[in-house]
Amino acid sequence: MKKILSVVYVSSILVCGIFLLGSSTGRTGRTLKTSTQGCSCHGSSSNANVSVVITGPEVMYAGETAQYTLTITRSTQTGAGLDIAVRQGALNPVSPNIHLSNGELTHNENIAMSNGTMSVQFNYTAPPAASIDTIWSTGNATNSNALTSGDEWNWSVSKRVVIVSPLKLNLTGIIEGFWNGSTMVSDTVKTFLHNSSSPYARVDSGKIMLNTSGTGLVNFPNAAGGSYYIDIEHRNALRTWSGMPQSFTPGVTTSYDFTPAASQAYGSNMIYSMGKYVFYSGDPNHDETIDLSDIVLIFNDATVFTTGYTDTDINGDDFIDLTDITITFNNASNFVSVISP
C-alpha cells in the first residue's frame, strides 16, 4: 500500500512538473468553458483573494469587434498568468505579452504585476448572428519563482455579451451646399426611422458620417424588422423624408439612395444640382423652413468673419461669407420647407 501511494505521489509531482514546464508560455483549456480544475497545479482550489475581472461592452452588434481588458489583482503576488476562452465569437491579442493558442488567449511568459495588479487587452469579435455569448477567464497570481508552490488562482466572473442583429441602412444622400458636382464635403447626419402609419412616431435613430460620395452605413439597434420611413437631419440642410416607407429585415442591409430622382424624397422635396437630386441647404436654425431668419443668422456670422464647424457654414468650407448667404437666399426665395407624411 505504501509503495502504491509513493508511486501516486511521485506521479503527481511529475505531472505538476510537466505542467510547470509547459505553462511557462501559457496553457489553454483551464477556464470554466472546458474545465473544473482550473490552474490546479498552482493551488488545489480557487482562491477568492485573487481578483480576475473581464471588462468591456455588454452589448455588441453581430460581427462587430471591440476591445476588452482582463485584470488580475493579488496584493501579495508579483506575477500573473491567464487563460481566456469564448463560447461563439473570436479572440485576438492586443497586448504583446499574450498570444492565441487553440482559439484561446494565454500568456507568453510570467507577466510582471505592478503593485499587485496586471492588465492585458484583447479583441473580441462577435458571432455573425444575434445570440448571447460568454467570455471566460482563469487567472493565476504567482510569486515569480518559476515554481508552482506559493501561487494562487481564481476564476473570473463569466462575461455575458448580448449580440444584437441591428437593422442596417446603406444610405446615400447629398447636401446641396456641400456638393461640387463630383464630391461632397463629408459630414455627419442623423438618421431616424419612423413608423409607416400615423402618427409616424420615431422608432430608432443613428448618427453617421456621410463620405465624399454621400454614402454611409447606419445601424438601428432598437428597431424590429418592418416598414419604416427614413428621415434625414443635418446641421444646416432641410430635414428630408424618404418618398415611401422602406422594408427592413434584421441582419440584412437595406439600401436607399435619395439622389437619382426627386421622388426619392417625400413630396419630391429636393433640388437638382449638378447631376444629383440633393437636400436643400440653408436651415441653420432648424425650424424646418428656409427663410429670412436663417439668412440673418448667416449674415451676422459673416459680418464678424466666423470660421470653423458651425451651423451657418452652408457650403462646408469652414468660413461664413456671401456664398453661404446666396445658397440660403435662393432657397428662401422659393419658400422651401419640410414636407413630411
Side-chain angles (χ1 to χ4, degrees), residues 38 49 86 90 94 99 108 115 149 175 194 202 219 253 320 328:
N49 292 317
V86 67
V94 173
H99 67 277
N108 299 343
N115 297 319
S149 60
I175 301 159
H194 292 257
R202 284 180 175 175
N219 287 313
T253 301
I320 318 305
T328 306

Side-chain angles (χ1 to χ4, degrees), residues 185-231:
V185 176
S186 182
D187 203 8
T188 56
V189 295
K190 293 179 181 178
T191 307
F192 300 91
L193 296 184
H194 292 257
N195 284 331
S196 58
S197 57
S198 182
Y200 311 107
R202 284 180 175 175
V203 175
D204 206 350
S205 64
K207 187 175 183 179
I208 60 163
M209 177 76 73
L210 292 178
N211 62 24
T212 56
S213 298
T215 298
L217 181 65
V218 193
N219 287 313
F220 300 103
N222 302 311
S227 184
Y228 301 102
Y229 278 105
I230 302 166
D231 168 18

Side-chain angles (χ1 to χ4, degrees), residues 51-56 67-74 77-82 84 93-98 105-123 137 139-141:
S51 171
V52 186
V53 179
I54 302 170
T55 55
Q67 185 169 297
Y68 285 72
T69 298
L70 173 69
T71 300
I72 301 172
T73 303
R74 178 60 165 135
Q77 301 287 26
T78 59
L82 58 96
I84 306 170
V94 173
S95 296
N97 49 9
I98 60 175
L105 293 172
T106 188
H107 51 278
N108 299 343
E109 56 187 359
N110 183 62
I111 304 172
M113 286 185 169
S114 176
N115 297 319
T117 191
M118 181 282 304
S119 293
V120 294
Q121 285 70 47
F122 62 95
N123 282 339
S137 181
N140 185 23

Side-chain angles (χ1 to χ4, degrees), residues 46-282:
S46 60
N47 188 325
N49 292 317
V50 179
S51 171
V52 186
V53 179
I54 302 170
T55 55
E58 296 181 355
V59 179
M60 290 182 59
Y61 295 134
E64 182 184 16
T65 298
Q67 185 169 297
Y68 285 72
T69 298
L70 173 69
T71 300
I72 301 172
T73 303
R74 178 60 165 135
S75 61
T76 59
Q77 301 287 26
T78 59
L82 58 96
D83 181 21
I84 306 170
V86 67
R87 185 194 305 277
Q88 300 177 66
L91 302 172
N92 277 293
V94 173
S95 296
N97 49 9
I98 60 175
H99 67 277
L100 191 67
S101 177
N102 302 316
E104 300 181 7
L105 293 172
T106 188
H107 51 278
N108 299 343
E109 56 187 359
N110 183 62
I111 304 172
M113 286 185 169
S114 176
N115 297 319
T117 191
M118 181 282 304
S119 293
V120 294
Q121 285 70 47
F122 62 95
N123 282 339
Y124 163 75
T125 301
S131 63
I132 296 177
D133 205 356
T134 305
I135 306 174
W136 295 273
S137 181
T138 304
N140 185 23
T142 78
N143 55 17
S144 305
N145 68 354
L147 300 173
T148 58
S149 60
D151 295 344
E152 302 165 299
W153 66 275
N154 200 5
W155 316 102
S156 69
V157 174
S158 299
K159 180 70 173 180
R160 181 175 181 265
V161 186
V162 178
I163 312 303
V164 296
S165 187
L167 302 186
K168 296 183 179 183
L169 171 65
N170 185 31
L171 172 69
T172 301
I174 299 291
I175 301 159
E176 177 191 7
F178 290 23
W179 173 242
N180 66 11
S182 58
T183 60
M184 186 188 82
V185 176
S186 182
D187 203 8
T188 56
V189 295
K190 293 179 181 178
T191 307
F192 300 91
L193 296 184
H194 292 257
N195 284 331
S196 58
S197 57
S198 182
Y200 311 107
R202 284 180 175 175
V203 175
D204 206 350
S205 64
K207 187 175 183 179
I208 60 163
M209 177 76 73
L210 292 178
N211 62 24
T212 56
S213 298
T215 298
L217 181 65
V218 193
N219 287 313
F220 300 103
N222 302 311
S227 184
Y228 301 102
Y229 278 105
I230 302 166
D231 168 18
I232 308 300
E233 292 187 0
H234 175 256
R235 59 179 163 129
N236 56 42
L238 194 68
R239 178 178 162 209
T240 306
W241 290 57
S242 59
M244 296 289 292
Q246 300 299 303
S247 178
F248 287 83
T249 302
V252 177
T253 301
T254 296
S255 292
Y256 195 80
D257 186 350
F258 279 90
T259 65
S263 59
Q264 289 294 94
Y266 193 86
S268 296
N269 200 28
M270 291 190 292
I271 186 171
Y272 186 77
S273 176
M274 294 177 281
K276 301 284 186 181
Y277 285 91
V278 300
F279 306 137
Y280 285 105
S281 287

Side-chain angles (χ1 to χ4, degrees), residues 282-300:
D283 186 23
N285 69 357
H286 313 292
D287 67 355
E288 302 192 351
T289 298
I290 301 175
D291 56 15
L292 181 61
S293 62
D294 299 296
I295 296 172
V296 170
L297 279 178
I298 300 166
F299 177 81
N300 289 341

